Amino acid sequence: MDRITPTLPPIREVIARHGLSASKALGQNFLLDEQLLDRIAAIPGPLQGKPVLEVGPGPGGLTRALLRAGARVTAIEMDPRCLPALAELDEAFPGQLRVIQGDALAIDPATLFEEPYVVVANLPYNVGTALFTGWLSGQEWPPRWASLTLMFQLEVAQRITAAAGDSAYGRLAVLAQWRSAAKLAMKVHRSAFTPPPKVMSAIVHVTPAEMPGGVSARMLERVTEAAFGQRRKMLRQSLKALPGAVDALDALGIDPVRRAETLSVAEFVAIARVLSNG
Ligand code: SAM
């Protein structure tokens, strides 16, 4: 039997009724277009009955789209002013929504779920990037999250999904791609937000992949930090301070006159593997 989707007031009206004037300090740029929100909620794939972590629900535009898709949503929101609006969604979708008020940076999502969960978030840039690098740097692999669907500034989304040789390619791309698949799922025009931010946005979708064997995450970080720390320099110069790294280039047949931005993610992994075992 089809689920009956409750009729909800427009988000614009919810914002007005609860006096949710956008706070700049909390990076509040709200999405109001329900069709766009349904398209965003569809990016992770079918959500019927699935646990979803939403960070920064605000007045609940994306939250209601996730609930409509049948997800069981746990939402972490910093701004207490948003709680009454979210309580209305809880009433409209009984048993599907749990709201936690707090700073997502201080809450370990692993404590909130007993099974793999999908992450969906439209967050301020600094919070989103900090959470993203944390989720990708975990010791445990595969991680507890089954996928990440996150809104970023377009420029950051391009840095996450860049390939070797792209001008946006750097440490973030290697971190996002060495044991995950990361794709730019949708560009979102600044005019879709209220108030509109200064720059364009895009949604990145990340799924965990198999972790290459014999590589320490910390060593890979050290290699990319050294290589991209001096990205215009040849590898034989930029990797000089990392013991054994220039010898590793030789052993792997990687030309030491190349620059960091020309090395594929697999080549960075190979260097880190030699050093992890050395
Ligand atoms: N999800 C809503 C939407 O798409 O319209 C709101 C998006 S708005 C860009 C970001 C939301 O994240 C705001 O509601 C803000 O209060 C919340 N937020 C900001 N920092 C946060 C943090 N550290 N932890 C949890 N929520 C945060």
Side-chain angles (χ1 to χ4, degrees):
M1 208 174 78
D2 280 351
R3 273 174 293 122
I4 299 165
T5 308
T7 310
L8 298 165
I11 303 156
R12 194 180 290 283
E13 189 208 301
V14 173
I15 291 172
R17 190 156 38 82
H18 293 284
L20 299 176
S21 53
S23 148
K24 220 174 178 178
L26 285 170
Q28 291 180 340
N29 303 95
F30 302 129
L31 290 168
L32 309 183
D33 178 341
E34 305 255 358
Q35 277 182 8
L36 173 66
L37 289 160
D38 283 335
R39 283 201 287 134
I40 296 173
I43 291 172
L47 291 178
Q48 180 62 45
K50 289 208 181 143
V52 171
L53 171 66
E54 191 199 355
V55 191
L62 187 50
T63 321
R64 56 166 76 179
L66 294 166
L67 294 167
R68 269 197 293 266
R72 289 186 284 124
V73 179
T74 298
I76 305 177
E77 174 56 58
M78 184 108 146
D79 185 352
R81 294 181 310 150
C82 298
L83 299 186
L86 294 169
E88 289 175 4
L89 283 183
D90 181 27
E91 260 175 49
F93 296 87
Q96 267 183 261
L97 177 62
R98 166 171 65 153
V99 178
I100 296 168
Q101 198 240 314
D103 179 355
L105 289 167
I107 296 171
D108 177 3
T111 61
L112 303 174
F113 297 95
E114 274 160 19
E115 48 189 321
Y117 55 93
V118 164
V119 180
V120 181
N122 171 19
L123 276 168
Y125 161 60
N126 55 342
V127 181
T129 308
L131 286 173
F132 183 64
T133 52
W135 284 323
L136 289 172
S137 306
Q139 288 281 336
E140 190 182 342
W141 209 266
R144 303 273 188 92
W145 49 266
S147 69
L148 307 174
T149 299
L150 307 173
M151 181 87 74
F152 288 103
Q153 290 184 11
L154 177 60
E155 181 248 319
V156 177
Q158 285 166 336
R159 280 170 48 208
I160 291 167
T161 55
D166 294 350
S167 58
Y169 185 64
R171 287 176 67 189
L172 201 53
V174 178
L175 175 67
Q177 296 173 38
W178 78 282
R179 52 182 181 174
S180 308
K183 65 169 200 220
L184 201 152
M186 190 193 286
K187 289 188 185 173
V188 183
H189 197 273
R190 48 187 291 280
S191 63
F193 298 86
T194 300
K198 288 201 178 73
V199 293
M200 303 289 275
S201 296
I203 297 175
V204 171
H205 181 64
V206 180
T207 46
E210 199 162 324
M211 178 159 161
V215 184
S216 122
R218 176 69 197 120
M219 183 54 80
L220 180 62
E221 240 170 71
R222 287 178 63 193
V223 173
T224 54
E225 198 178 305
F228 288 109
Q230 303 182 65
R231 63 185 292 142
R232 301 270 160 251
K233 297 244 167 83
M234 295 176 190
L235 292 167
R236 68 171 174 223
Q237 179 63 32
S238 58
L239 293 182
K240 213 155 90 185
L242 200 58
V246 178
D247 289 343
L249 295 178
D250 197 31
L252 292 164
I254 297 173
D255 191 341
V257 305
R258 286 171 63 187
R259 292 175 171 76
E261 64 214 29
T262 73
L263 247 59
S264 67
V265 173
E267 286 175 312
F268 275 113
V269 167
I271 298 169
R273 182 179 290 116
V274 171
L275 297 178
S276 301
N277 296 330

